[in-house]
Amino acid sequence: MSTNSEQLKELHAGSHYKHATVGNPNEVTTKHFTRDVMGITGAEISFGVLEPGQAVPFFHKHQQNEEIYIILTGKGSFQVDNDLFPVEAGSLVRVSAEGIRSLKCISEDSLRYICIQVKADSLEQCTMTDGVIVEHKALW
Ligand code: ZN
């Protein structure tokens, strides 16, 4: 699995945002870590791809971060500790930091996924409790 980021491109940025693209997420061909390009401060979001029969070449766990995997294309076998279960496009899997995990593509087409890594127990509020509705002029 390479970590080439040629497909990940920053498009533009303002004082409070960055906009980038990996192109069609269903055509991603290599691993992309987005945190550095995006300037993300509270998460690492990566795009990953496994070709038919290919598995992540190691099992791993984390010291303090949980991970959420979102399967975009293909089918896979997901292993956490000693549990093995099938995943496919649309599947979501959250793995606690201490969960020992790996993933294998078992479909005839590529398995593509997004992995969101965040510090466990770090979210104190979200959406309706963190969001603040403000008056602002729409530009569209
Ligand atoms: Zn990980």
Side-chain angles (χ1 to χ4, degrees):
M1 187 183 332
S2 69
T3 56
N4 178 330
S5 282
E6 286 177 16
Q7 287 179 306
L8 177 61
K9 292 185 177 85
E10 181 179 325
L11 297 177
H12 52 286
S15 57
H16 294 121
Y17 73 96
K18 283 197 175 186
H19 176 200
T21 183
V22 293
N24 184 337
N26 294 331
E27 295 175 0
V28 165
T29 59
T30 188
K31 185 84 170 176
H32 298 290
F33 290 98
T34 67
R35 189 176 64 89
D36 290 343
V37 168
M38 298 300 293
I40 300 170
T41 64
E44 172 63 281
I45 301 172
S46 61
F47 289 80
V49 59
L50 295 169
E51 299 304 328
Q54 184 183 22
V56 175
F58 50 83
F59 282 85
H60 77 289
K61 62 181 183 176
H62 281 264
Q63 297 180 58
Q64 60 180 14
N65 297 340
E66 65 182 4
E67 290 181 320
I68 303 94
Y69 291 80
I70 304 169
I71 309 301
L72 301 173
T73 68
K75 294 182 178 179
S77 286
F78 205 112
Q79 184 173 344
V80 180
D81 303 321
N82 293 312
D83 290 345
L84 186 68
F85 52 93
V87 293
E88 61 184 7
S91 293
L92 295 140
V93 180
R94 183 194 67 82
V95 186
S96 303
E98 56 275 6
I100 298 170
R101 73 212 64 178
S102 195
L103 174 62
K104 180 177 183 176
C105 175
I106 60 167
S107 52
E108 292 180 6
D109 53 336
S110 302
L111 186 154
R112 292 184 176 83
Y113 62 96
I114 293 171
C115 181
I116 302 170
Q117 187 181 137
V118 295
K119 186 174 181 180
D121 300 316
S122 65
L123 191 64
E124 296 179 353
Q125 54 185 9
C126 65
T127 314
M128 297 307 286
T129 53
D130 191 61
V132 179
I133 295 174
V134 298
E135 290 292 325
H136 198 71
K137 182 181 179 203
L139 299 178
W140 50 76

